[in-house]
């Protein structure tokens, strides 16, 4: 493990587990540390200083507010509240005004963020959240005079409208600078750009208080050549009541108030989205139908209503997080699993890889591979949403069993613009479906009728989609009987059929020649693992003849890997388009890769000969580092067109020997399956944020959620992270910790108890809701065994085997699972 630096433990903030919050105490975090608001179609990203944006369903086509990626200074654009008193101006969120606050904290919680600030004896508390089932952000701002004299305070709110299409918004200036339109009525500013033509939706920003002025034109508010840190309207203390016509529309309210000593005032701002019927767009000529907006505003026009909605949100999350609760000897482990990992699982489930501070929300939609994997960390929380998502994914599948790599959330249509022909995609749906059935016992998902690739009528059921996914692998094998890699597999950057020498080409969409030679050992391991799962599904629904036929293909693949995918000490990674090995001791660079070690070991390929154990030993020897397991070693130092994008990264970053956290849990699971709890826990904890609090400054990204990538040993800054929040690491590390370290594993017939906990953990308590039952489980390991037989006692009565049958044990039960030799 890395060296501990306890003096850095709370350099920027700390966990408040009681409130399920991370409290940031310094506005100058190494990168913007964000939170997500909303979970039902309307979403917001909000940083620890109020930056970010919101959107409805699709961050590309329905973005409400503007944000600037790669801006200087960073984190430009957001929900800003300027406060002015006694000639001094500051921000209620720490930015964008540079004035240093007397006190600052940001409390990121479950679906809300709360900002506390004080300056010159004026304190403010801003609570930002998206209420359940609501298409609006609510921002409740409380101002209080903590001094002993009356104080005059001026408040200026600010948001900047995005012109709906976020890609076009940042490119088509010749049009956009002439299209902006707004309306102002009372204390509400309406954004209606393009509403006259092809849109039947508008946005609004309101406050539940009379205003002393407003601005809707950005240049009028900021002043020419000024930034967000010193708007001329705030400096002058006066607004011009501008009405934007073209240029850059904004929304800013100006409110003056006087606060006596000890007096407080609470204001509620609502940033909302409304859709209307095409036949009911106008309440008068060129005056938008404001009734939906007024109805929405009325739901939050008092602080009492806002408090009630916050309580509903709190109860919602308490219920969700209560479905799986662990109490172990390590509070960091508990914190990760009980709070932040489950929270991140919800976010990744909702947004796939589409909208973060590293994903612009423009180029990517919902990933087929990504979203199928994200369900494995979320199925226990809201299984009905998981079922819906799996069927959405299924409906984008192509008739040959292959899959679009992504689809757009607004249209649910497949999209190949950023690439396709990634041959690992189809089998991930077998994982998500099997995991859903094991969690719920609901085999009916297999009977759901689902269209293919945008067809108008569904003529096949979901099971047919799984069968075609299975057969897509069978029908696309290479010279060694291994699956063809296509443009790539799980590693998008291993492009064995691209051969690109043109910097203007996309690695993800470029292909030269037929892809009938390059093969993936990783997909082979995936096929054995999930192909065996498909065989069992066939058997359980009575398709025994098909099961037997599919078993033959799985067995053949297992044999092909043993014959052509083993390199003596580890599994090779692939064969390139010339038929040469990749990830072999024969190679000068990239001798060993993590992906094939994880999947082939999880599939147990060559277990009779001890190959999974040997592969794990090779992972420890060659790939393990202080901050996690590197993707490959040695790093590539030269570009090779036969390898593609992986060799374009500097050594130690991203796929080129970086610690690509998503695949680390595959090794954790493999180690647990081998009965090596110390190694499993070591690999789990090396990348889990709750264990990394002493390296916040080095790590840079949010210390409460997983990042996609941590720089590896070959980099300039080993341990530095990038691409936080939207990563498959969240679901996979949760899956690894709960189902393989703790061993609380759903299966078709019930809940298996098969732990691989640290020998020093003599007792672990777990609450697990499962198929309508509630189990209070205690894992006991009195002899400190690494792995052993499990003896079950339910309600004081011994039960044969290690499976809890929910048909026998519904309702609530006390379970003791003792590990014995």
């Amino acid at each position: 493990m890395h060296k501990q630096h306890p003096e850095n433990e709370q350099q920027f903030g700390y966990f408040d587990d009681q409130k399920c919050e991370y409290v940031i105490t310094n506005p100058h975090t190494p990168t913007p540390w964000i939170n997500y608001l909303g979970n039902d179609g309307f979403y917001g990203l909000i940083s620890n200083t109020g930056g970010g944006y919101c959107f409805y369903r699709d961050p590309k086509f329905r973005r409400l507010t503007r944000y600037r990626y790669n801006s200087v200074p960073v984190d430009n654009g957001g929900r800003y509240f300027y406060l002015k008193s006694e000639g001094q101006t500051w921000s209620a969120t720490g930015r964008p005004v540079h004035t240093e606050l007397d006190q600052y904290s940001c409390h990121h919680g479950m679906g809300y963020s709360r900002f506390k600030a004080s300056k010159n004896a004026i304190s403010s508390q801003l609570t930002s959240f998206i209420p359940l089932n609501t298409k609006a952000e609510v921002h409740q701002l409380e101002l209080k005079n903590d001094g002993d004299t009356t104080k005059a305070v001026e408040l200026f709110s600010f948001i900047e409208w995005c012109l709906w299409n976020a890609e076009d918004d940042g490119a088509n200036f010749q049009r956009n600078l002439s299209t902006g339109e707004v309306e102002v009525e009372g204390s509400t500013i309406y954004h209606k750009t393009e509403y006259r033509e092809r849109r039947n939706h508008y946005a609004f920003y309101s406050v539940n208080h009379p205003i002393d002025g407003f601005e809707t034109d950005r240049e009028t508010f900021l002043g020419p050549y000024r930034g967000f840190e010193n708007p001329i309207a705030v400096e002058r203390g006066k607004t011009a009541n501008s009405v934007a016509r073209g240029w850059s529309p904004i929304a800013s309210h100006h409110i003056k108030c006087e606060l006596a000593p000890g007096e407080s005032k609470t204001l509620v701002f609502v940033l909302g989205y409304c859709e209307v019927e095409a036949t009911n767009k106008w309440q008068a000529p060129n005056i938008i139908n404001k009734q939906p907006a007024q109805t929405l505003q009325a739901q939050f026009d008092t602080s009492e209503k806002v408090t009630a909605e916050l309580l509903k949100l709190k109860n919602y999350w308490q219920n969700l997080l209560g479905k799986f609760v662990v109490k172990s000897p390590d509070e960091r482990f508990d914190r990760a699993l009980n709070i932040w990992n489950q929270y991140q699982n919800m976010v990744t489930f909702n947004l796939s890889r589409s909208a973060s501070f590293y994903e612009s929300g423009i180029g990517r939609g919902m990933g087929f591979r990504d979203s199928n994997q994200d369900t494995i960390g979320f199925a226990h929380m809201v299984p009905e949403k998981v079922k819906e998502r799996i069927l959405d994914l299924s409906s984008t599948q192509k008739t040959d069993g292959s899959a679009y790599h992504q689809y757009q959330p607004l249209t649910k249509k497949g999209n190949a613009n950023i690439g396709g022909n990634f041959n690992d995609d189809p089998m991930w749906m077998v994982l998500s479906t099997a995991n859903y059935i094991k969690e719920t016992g609901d085999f009916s998902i297999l009977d759901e009728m689902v269209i293919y690739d945008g067809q108008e009528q569904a003529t096949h059921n979901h099971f047919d989609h799984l069968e075609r996914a299975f057969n897509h692998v069978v029908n696309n094998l290479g010279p060694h009987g291994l699956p063809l890699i296509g443009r790539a597999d799980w590693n998008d950057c291993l492009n064995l059929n691209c051969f690109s020498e043109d910097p203007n080409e996309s690695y993800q969409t470029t292909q030269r020649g037929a892809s009938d030679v390059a093969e993936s050992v990783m997909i082979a391991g995936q096929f054995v693992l999930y192909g065996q799962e498909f065989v069992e599904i066939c058997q359980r629904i009575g398709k025994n003849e098909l099961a037997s036929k599919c078993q033959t293909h799985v067995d053949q693949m297992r044999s092909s890997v043993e014959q052509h995918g083993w390199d003596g000490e580890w599994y090779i990674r692939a064969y390139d388009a010339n038929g040469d090995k990749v990830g072999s001791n024969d190679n000068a660079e990239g001798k060993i890769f993590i992906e094939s070690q994880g999947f082939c070991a999880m599939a147990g390929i060559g277990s009779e000969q001890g190959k999974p154990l040997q592969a794990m030993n090779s992972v420890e020897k060659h790939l393990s580092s202080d901050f996690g397991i590197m993707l490959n070693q040695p790093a590539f130092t030269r570009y090779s067109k036969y390898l593609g994008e992986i060799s374009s990264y500097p050594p130690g970053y991203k796929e080129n020997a970086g610690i690509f956290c998503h695949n680390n849990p595959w090794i954790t699971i493999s180690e647990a399956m081998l009965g090596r709890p110390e190694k499993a826990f070591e690999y789990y904890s090396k990348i889990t944020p709750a264990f990394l609090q002493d390296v916040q400054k080095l790590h840079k990204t949010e210390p409460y959620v997983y990042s996609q990538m941590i720089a590896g040993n070959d980099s300039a800054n080993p341990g530095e992270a990038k691409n936080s929040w939207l990563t498959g690491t969240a679901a996979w590390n949760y899956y690894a910790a709960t189902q393989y370290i703790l061993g609380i594993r759903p299966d078709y017939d019930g809940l298996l108890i098969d732990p691989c906990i640290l020998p020093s953990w003599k007792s672990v308590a777990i609450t697990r809701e499962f198929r309508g039952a509630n189990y209070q489980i205690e894992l006991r390991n009195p002899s400190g065994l690494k792995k052993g037989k499990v003896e079950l006692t339910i309600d004081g009565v011994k039960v044969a085997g290690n499976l809890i049958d929910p048909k026998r044990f519904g309702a609530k039960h006390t379970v003791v699972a003792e590990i014995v030799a």
Side-chain angles (χ1 to χ4, degrees), residues 324 738-739 742-746 751-753 766 768 777 779:
F324 191 108
T738 57
Q739 297 201 24
L742 293 175
I744 312 298
R745 189 156 63 248
L751 198 61
L752 279 169
I753 312 296
I766 297 141
R768 179 64 154 94
I777 303 168
L779 303 179

Side-chain angles (χ1 to χ4, degrees), residues 284-537:
N286 209 33
I287 304 298
I288 62 176
N289 176 3
K290 300 182 176 67
Q291 187 272 325
Q294 291 164 351
T295 299
L296 188 51
Q297 293 165 36
Q299 295 174 2
F300 311 104
D301 57 6
T302 67
S303 58
E304 290 78 14
K305 291 179 182 179
V306 172
T307 299
E309 289 297 330
L310 274 167
L311 182 59
K312 288 180 187 177
L313 185 66
K314 178 182 178 181
N315 291 338
Y316 173 78
W317 273 104
Q318 279 185 339
N319 176 61
L320 283 184
L321 297 179
K323 294 177 184 293
F324 191 108
V325 181
V326 59
K327 181 70 176 73
S328 77
D330 194 322
E331 68 172 10
R332 300 168 299 178
F333 185 76
D334 301 349
R335 174 182 297 141
L337 293 183
N338 294 341
I339 305 172
W340 291 98
N341 198 166
Q342 294 196 72
Y343 183 55
Q344 188 176 2
N345 288 346
M346 166 76 93
V347 172
T348 57
F349 174 82
N350 284 334
L351 299 177
S352 191
R353 310 294 175 268
S354 63
S356 74
F357 272 31
Y358 302 89
E359 299 280 7
S360 67
I362 293 173
R364 300 182 63 162
M366 304 294 286
F368 189 93
R369 168 206 298 156
D370 299 327
S371 294
N372 273 300
Q373 290 175 88
D374 290 341
T375 65
I376 68 174
F378 188 68
H380 71 289
M381 296 175 79
V382 191
E384 60 274 17
K385 284 193 174 183
V386 168
K387 182 176 185 177
E388 180 185 341
R389 175 61 51 76
I390 291 170
L391 295 175
D392 281 348
L393 292 162
S394 183
S395 72
T396 69
Q397 189 184 19
K398 301 179 184 180
T399 54
D400 67 355
S402 64
Y404 285 98
H405 197 51
Q406 63 154 301
Y407 71 94
Q408 295 305 127
L410 199 63
T411 63
K412 295 185 180 177
K413 299 250 178 168
N415 177 2
N417 289 343
I418 69 155
N421 194 21
F422 301 122
N423 282 357
D424 67 304
D425 272 332
M427 289 301 291
W428 292 115
M429 196 160 64
V430 178
L431 165 65
S432 64
T433 303
N435 187 73
Y436 167 79
I437 295 172
K438 289 175 182 179
E439 179 65 39
T440 62
D442 176 21
F443 279 87
S444 73
I445 188 174
L446 302 173
D447 300 321
E448 295 280 352
M449 300 301 288
V450 188
I451 62 171
Y452 277 100
D453 190 11
Q455 291 178 356
E456 291 185 7
Q457 186 176 357
T459 56
H460 297 85
N461 59 22
H462 180 60
F463 178 83
D464 185 74
H465 287 247
L466 298 183
E467 185 178 357
R468 294 194 195 197
F470 182 95
N471 286 330
H472 184 267
V473 179
V474 174
N475 295 332
N476 289 276
L477 302 179
H480 298 94
L482 299 168
L484 293 171
I485 197 169
R487 285 207 181 99
D489 59 19
W490 175 90
N491 188 337
D492 290 351
C493 299
L494 191 60
N495 316 118
L496 304 183
N497 294 295
C498 179
F499 318 135
S500 179
E501 296 179 290
D502 181 350
N504 297 312
E505 291 178 334
S506 163
Y507 288 106
Q508 311 298 309
T509 59
T510 302
Q511 184 171 325
R512 289 179 167 82
S515 55
D516 56 358
V517 175
E519 299 162 296
S520 168
V521 176
M522 179 254 154
I523 299 178
Q526 178 198 35
F527 179 77
V528 172
L529 184 60
Y530 301 139
Q532 194 66 56
E533 202 75 69
F534 181 68
V535 168
E536 184 164 359
I537 289 174

Side-chain angles (χ1 to χ4, degrees), residues 529-530 597-605 612 665-667 669-670 673 732:
L529 184 60
Y530 301 139
Q597 313 317 315
F599 261 94
C600 293
M602 286 192 293
I605 298 175
W666 304 342
I667 304 301
I669 292 169
S670 299
M673 292 174 71
W732 268 109

Side-chain angles (χ1 to χ4, degrees), residues 535-738:
V535 168
E536 184 164 359
I537 289 174
C538 290
Q539 291 169 339
R540 286 180 174 270
I541 62 173
K543 293 183 178 288
N544 294 318
E545 187 176 334
L546 179 59
S548 178
K549 178 183 174 183
C550 292
Q551 186 66 60
T552 300
H553 291 302
V554 172
D555 293 342
Q556 287 174 343
M557 188 67 72
R558 187 183 296 271
S559 177
S560 295
V561 174
E562 290 180 355
Q563 186 177 354
H564 301 292
W566 182 251
D567 199 55
E569 296 179 83
W570 57 79
Y571 304 96
I572 69 168
R573 180 61 176 86
Y575 286 91
D576 67 17
N578 296 318
D580 296 326
K581 293 178 181 178
V582 177
S584 164
N585 219 10
D586 296 346
N587 304 126
E589 297 177 337
K591 291 175 178 287
I592 178 172
F593 283 70
I594 188 175
E595 303 102 301
S596 47
Q597 313 317 315
F599 261 94
C600 293
M602 286 192 293
I605 298 175
S607 56
E608 298 84 359
Q609 298 83 36
K611 289 177 180 176
L613 178 60
Q614 199 170 357
M616 291 304 101
N617 290 339
S618 294
V619 166
E620 181 178 19
K621 179 179 178 181
H622 299 286
L623 298 177
S624 182
S625 80
D626 285 347
F627 298 98
I629 307 167
M630 294 175 285
L631 189 142
N632 63 286
Q633 277 292 308
F636 296 106
T637 59
R638 299 178 297 278
Y639 176 68
S640 168
K641 68 178 183 180
Y642 298 107
L643 295 172
E645 187 175 359
I646 188 172
S647 60
S648 73
Y649 286 109
Y653 294 100
K654 288 278 281 181
E655 283 83 353
N656 187 14
I659 299 158
F660 208 94
C661 299
H662 185 154
N663 51 45
N664 278 226
W666 304 342
I667 304 301
T668 297
I669 292 169
S670 299
E671 291 286 5
M673 292 174 71
L674 290 169
R676 304 206 296 185
E678 293 94 345
K679 295 309 300 180
F681 190 81
E682 177 191 335
Y683 292 143
Y684 166 80
S685 59
K686 276 183 177 179
I687 63 167
T688 295
F691 291 80
L692 304 177
Q693 295 309 295
D694 59 312
V695 289
Q696 289 183 3
K697 193 169 185 179
L698 167 65
H699 199 67
K700 286 194 173 182
T701 57
E702 292 90 340
Y704 39 91
V705 292
Y706 290 101
S707 294
Q708 177 208 68
M709 194 280 288
I710 299 171
N713 287 352
D714 300 279
S715 71
N717 299 294
E720 181 183 83
K722 292 189 182 81
N723 298 28
S724 58
W725 275 101
L726 301 186
T727 166
T729 313
W732 268 109
N733 228 25
Y734 185 82
Y735 183 85
T738 57

Side-chain angles (χ1 to χ4, degrees), residues 14-40:
Y14 61 90
F15 289 102
D16 184 340
D17 293 342
Q18 194 68 31
K19 295 180 180 178
C20 296
E21 293 180 347
Y22 189 87
V23 183
I24 301 167
T25 55
N26 184 337
H28 307 296
T29 50
T31 58
W33 287 358
I34 75 167
N35 194 12
Y36 281 83
L37 312 178
N39 58 25
D40 196 34

